[in-house]
Each structure stands twice: as structure tokens, then as C-alpha cells.
Amino acid sequence: MGFQELIGSLADNPYFGAGFGLFGVGAGASMLRKGYSLGLIFFRRHYMTTLEVPCRDQSYKWLLHWITVRGARNTQHLSVETKHQQMESGKVSTKHDFIPSVGEHFFWYNRTWIRVQRTREQSTLDLHMGIPFETVKLTALGKKRDVFYDILEEARELAVSHNEGKTIMYTSHGAEWREFGHPRKPRPLQSVVLDNGVSDRIVSDVREFIDNPEWYTSRGIPYRRGYLLHGPPGCGKTSFITALAGTLKLGICVLNISERGLTDDRLSHLMASVPEDTIILLEDVDAAFVSREETQEVNQAYVGLNRLTFSGLLNCLDGVVSAEARIVFMTTNYPERLDPALIRPGRVDVKEYIGHCTPYQLRTMFSRFYPSAPDLLVHKFTEAVLSLGMCLSPAMIQGHFLIYKLDPQEAIDSLPQLAKPYQAH
Ligand code: ADP
């Protein structure tokens, strides 16, 4: 039997013919399926653009907020985020913000549909933040990378406008910076009364530094500047730095270097990831490192325990290099306890003493607090304080004024009360 005849007879065979048909249908379906998934991959690759934002990214919160404000407001699937907001009066109000819940949402943006998928992996915790690991994935039809740039930029602008004119405080949390409390309205710089000219000197130095990046880059000098404010407690070091940040529209990253668990590695990570437009504030730098010799002893005592070393801190301070201005403020009540290496030029470029009230400060504070008091009273007050022969901090004077809020004469007459607690000791 020739080959042709064999094929002919098989084709005539009804059983074989049916099997052949079934086989054909099966193969066809699987090819279709394969074709479909290949097509989908092809389609995704060429006609869809996706953007994935993990919760650790700074833009994650901004993006969720923006999505809620822009489009997903109409969605029925929301989750709630409750915030406590402290007013300047101290009153606490509670605010509920709705954000898109975990799942899928759609919204219309710039003539295109955007799919939002918010996913949460229950089994994975973000180790730094201690919350379930989440991502938001945006998908747009077409090759539209620009849409995502626009969205991220809008989300950032929305967040920035929300905080406009307010000072954001960050504190370190493990190796991350986190916003501390709510952005606050800054305190006017003039409300922190320092000795004549001190405030202007610091402000103009910082401004000059910010305005002249080329001076540094053209000389190959790292673009950073360090300031040390030293003096007794309650004289306005911290208040001044906060008010200065507000005036310059900068945030503040408060770093507590005596915090337990802060290691060289963590500090170096923190320094490298300082948020944009912020001042770094190291408070009470004397507390962490009394002097290098003692630190070495302490280090030896802590062998095996990971902790911040003095040389680690110096390296981090020197390594704070970035394209933008890096401003580091340090405060201490005991400058004599600081290791000279910490405050050498390059690490600390400007040192200012912020001390007890001078006659200039007494006059200014009195007339600010009692704006309608005549000059004679201002003079009487200053003389009366000086005659006490005591060093008084602005914090003490402010506290005294608060007791005699409405009566400047009474504030003068009762000045001896201010001296009493000290005489008792
Ligand atoms: P320091 O950082 O020097 O210890 P703070 O800035 O913490 O002092 O001041 C403590 C309190 O005293 C603040 O509430 C602040 O309002 C007030 N205070 C201190 N110094 C001044 C000042 N020079 N002018 C106005 N208020 C001051």
C-alpha cells in the first residue's frame, strides 16, 4: 500500500478521524491560550506602563494622598488614617483622612485611565518601619512614562503646599528619618531675643552660605557649614535654631547621638539620607562624647556592643557631602568638654555663645512682652534685674513675665521673688 492510500484509508476510518479532530481542537486551544498569554505579555510590554512605589519610598504617602484627592475619592473602598493635630493653643483635634484601601482602583488622569493596585504582604514586615510591606502599583495604557513623572511631581507639590510655611521636624528611627509630630508654624525669629547682633550674624552667615554654592565647588571644598551654639540652658539655643529654620524655610533633622542603638553604620546611613532642605541638629553634643580618652575607655567597656564611636561620628560629619547646602548645628551647655577634633574648622565653622540675659536682652524682652509700657518702665526693669546681681536666663525672665502678664509694674516689684528659689539653695 502506497503512502497516499494509507492516509486515504486512515482518513476514511471514523474513529481515527474523530481522534484527529479532537487532537486538532486541543492543540488549537492550547495554541490560542499560549498566543493569548504571549499577546498579553507583548501588550503589557508595549502598550502599558507600570510604576511600582514601595511603602519605604518617600513618595509613597504623598502618592496615596494625591490619589485620594485627585480621583479615587469616589471609590467606595477606602481605608481610614486618623491623625491627631495639635493647634498652637495646645488643643488637640482629630482628623480622619481617607486613603484608597488595599485592592484595585481606577481613576481618570490626563485623558487616560490609571489603574491603582495597592497590595499588602501580610507575611512580610518592613523591618525599619515595623509595618506590613506595602506597594502601590500604577498602570497606564500606552507608553506613558511622562504621566508617572507628572503624577509624582503633582503628589510632591501637593504635599509641599500642604506644609507650606511650616517647619517639619524629623527624628531618627533606626536608620531612617521620620517626621516627628505635625509640621508647625514657625516661631518668628525676633521672638527669640539674643544679645545684640548675634542673631543677625548667624542669619547672614547661613544666608551667605546658601547663596554661594559655587564658591565651594570651584575650590573643591565640601559644601557644608557647621555651627556651634554654646551656653547655659534656657537661653534660647534650640528656640533660635527652630526659628531660623522657619525663616529659611528649612526643616530640621534632630539627631540624638547619645541614643542607644545608634551605631557608626546607622549614623552614616542617616547622614547619607537626610531629607532635602533641612538643617541637621545635634543637641547636647557633649553628652555623647565627653572626651576622646574617656570615650576610648567607654568603648573598651562596651566591646562587643555595637555603638557609635567618636571617630565614627567625625567620619559621618566629614562625609556629609551633597550637592545641596548641608547645614549642621550643634548645641552644648559645656563647650569645654568637647573634643577639639569635633569643633575644628570644617566641622564647626561658626561658634556663638548664647548666654544669660544682657541689659540689651532685658530691655528688648520687656518691651516685647509689654508693648505699651513706657521707656521709663523698661529702664526701671533693667536696672532692677541688674541690681539683683544674678545671672538670669531668658527662660526664667519669660516665666516671670507670664506670672505678671498684665501688670509690668508688678513684674518689676516682684523681681525679688525670682531670686528666692536660688537663695534657698
Ligand atoms: P536652650 O536650648 O538654650 O536650653 P531653649 O531654646 O530650649 O533653651 O529655651 C527654653 C524656653 O525658654 C523656650 O520656651 C523659649 O521660648 C524660652 N527662651 C529661651 N531663650 C529665649 C530667648 N533668648 N528669647 C526668648 N525666649 C527664650
Side-chain angles (χ1 to χ4, degrees):
M1 198 189 291
F3 185 65
Q4 293 239 318
E5 285 163 53
L6 178 69
I7 297 283
S9 77
L10 278 177
D12 290 343
N13 183 327
Y15 296 110
F16 191 83
F20 204 68
L22 275 178
F23 170 75
V25 170
S30 112
M31 263 165 70
L32 260 180
R33 219 176 304 133
K34 215 170 209 160
Y36 174 74
S37 59
L38 276 176
L40 205 62
I41 290 173
F42 180 81
F43 185 74
R44 272 207 198 122
R45 196 166 287 166
H46 294 278
Y47 297 104
M48 278 167 123
T49 323
T50 58
L51 170 81
E52 198 169 285
V53 184
C55 60
R56 202 180 301 157
D57 195 87
Q58 219 182 11
S59 54
Y60 182 78
K61 267 201 143 183
W62 304 344
L63 195 61
L64 275 189
H65 179 64
W66 182 86
I67 292 166
T68 318
V69 172
R70 276 303 300 245
R73 194 164 253 170
N74 301 333
T75 180
Q76 287 139 285
H77 309 287
L78 296 160
S79 65
V80 72
E81 202 180 58
T82 307
K83 292 178 181 167
H84 297 290
Q85 203 157 16
Q86 186 155 21
M87 305 289 161
E88 264 147 74
S89 59
K91 197 175 132 206
V92 177
S93 73
T94 311
K95 201 173 139 219
H96 302 291
D97 260 356
F98 290 118
I99 49 176
S101 68
V102 170
E104 198 172 59
H105 312 267
F106 289 91
F107 70 94
W108 182 248
Y109 175 77
N110 260 1
R111 284 175 288 143
T112 184
W113 278 105
I114 309 269
R115 180 169 72 166
V116 181
Q117 286 163 292
R118 185 175 167 204
T119 47
R120 176 178 299 161
E121 286 177 41
Q122 287 299 359
S123 51
T124 331
L125 272 191
D126 185 297
L127 285 182
H128 291 303
M129 303 169 88
I131 52 170
F133 192 76
E134 286 189 9
T135 49
V136 168
K137 192 162 150 189
L138 302 183
T139 310
L141 278 180
K143 287 194 172 183
K144 293 183 181 133
R145 251 175 201 232
D146 292 347
V147 172
F148 294 140
Y149 281 122
D150 293 347
I151 290 180
L152 287 176
E153 192 47 31
E154 266 190 37
R156 195 187 67 86
E157 275 169 16
L158 185 73
V160 169
S161 73
H162 199 238
N163 293 335
E164 200 157 283
K166 297 188 185 155
T167 310
I168 308 177
M169 285 257 197
Y170 298 88
T171 49
S172 58
H173 220 271
E176 307 252 324
W177 290 105
R178 279 209 217 157
E179 269 186 42
F180 176 73
H182 280 273
R184 290 152 209 235
K185 253 188 123 178
R187 171 179 182 160
L189 202 57
Q190 309 87 289
S191 77
V192 187
V193 184
L194 303 186
D195 197 11
N196 202 2
V198 174
S199 176
D200 290 346
R201 242 189 342 260
I202 304 176
V203 175
S204 58
D205 190 282
V206 178
R207 279 198 201 280
E208 204 213 86
F209 168 72
I210 294 177
D211 293 341
N212 288 300
E214 310 82 37
W215 192 93
Y216 289 81
T217 39
S218 66
R219 286 166 180 77
I221 301 172
Y223 188 34
R224 60 161 184 259
R225 199 145 174 92
Y227 298 82
L228 175 73
L229 303 189
H230 58 98
C235 293
K237 297 182 289 296
T238 312
S239 313
F240 174 76
I241 297 166
T242 322
L244 175 76
T247 307
L248 300 172
K249 299 193 170 51
L250 299 173
I252 303 183
C253 288
V254 184
L255 191 60
N256 179 4
I257 51 171
S258 40
E259 183 190 292
R260 283 189 78 137
L262 185 65
T263 61
D264 291 359
D265 279 354
R266 273 199 178 158
L267 184 64
S268 108
H269 188 270
L270 280 169
M271 288 296 203
S273 58
V274 170
E276 269 179 32
D277 299 328
T278 50
I279 286 177
I280 302 174
L281 171 59
L282 308 183
E283 283 213 282
D284 299 318
V285 268
D286 56 277
F289 301 102
V290 177
S291 82
R292 210 180 324 195
E293 294 77 48
E294 280 182 50
T295 317
Q296 271 163 3
E297 274 171 35
V298 174
N299 278 346
Q300 273 154 17
Y302 278 88
V303 170
L305 262 186
N306 256 351
R307 72 193 301 275
L308 181 67
T309 63
F310 185 67
S311 59
L313 173 68
L314 295 187
N315 281 339
C316 285
L317 285 176
D318 294 342
V320 189
V321 189
S322 67
E324 57 163 324
R326 260 291 142 250
I327 302 167
V328 180
F329 266 86
M330 302 184 200
T331 67
T332 179
N333 298 337
Y334 309 99
E336 65 284 356
R337 293 189 189 168
L338 296 179
D339 192 295
L342 181 64
I343 49 176
R344 73 152 169 74
R347 293 189 184 123
V348 168
D349 305 284
V350 177
K351 292 180 202 135
E352 282 287 353
Y353 172 68
I354 312 287
H356 289 127
C357 286
T358 60
Y360 169 84
Q361 280 168 288
L362 291 171
R363 282 196 300 274
T364 318
M365 285 183 80
F366 190 83
S367 15
R368 269 188 188 282
F369 205 92
Y370 307 105
S372 50
D375 284 353
L376 186 69
L377 223 52
V378 179
H379 181 71
K380 252 177 86 181
F381 169 75
T382 316
E383 291 301 311
V385 175
L386 295 177
S387 70
L388 290 175
M390 286 175 55
C391 295
L392 294 174
S393 67
M396 288 154 79
I397 298 288
Q398 194 186 56
H400 184 74
F401 288 164
L402 283 171
I403 305 175
Y404 307 99
K405 252 194 272 193
L406 303 173
D407 194 344
Q409 183 63 54
E410 186 72 15
I412 299 173
D413 296 341
S414 47
L415 268 173
Q417 298 288 334
L418 195 57
K420 260 198 184 142
Y422 299 90
Q423 281 158 0
H425 285 290

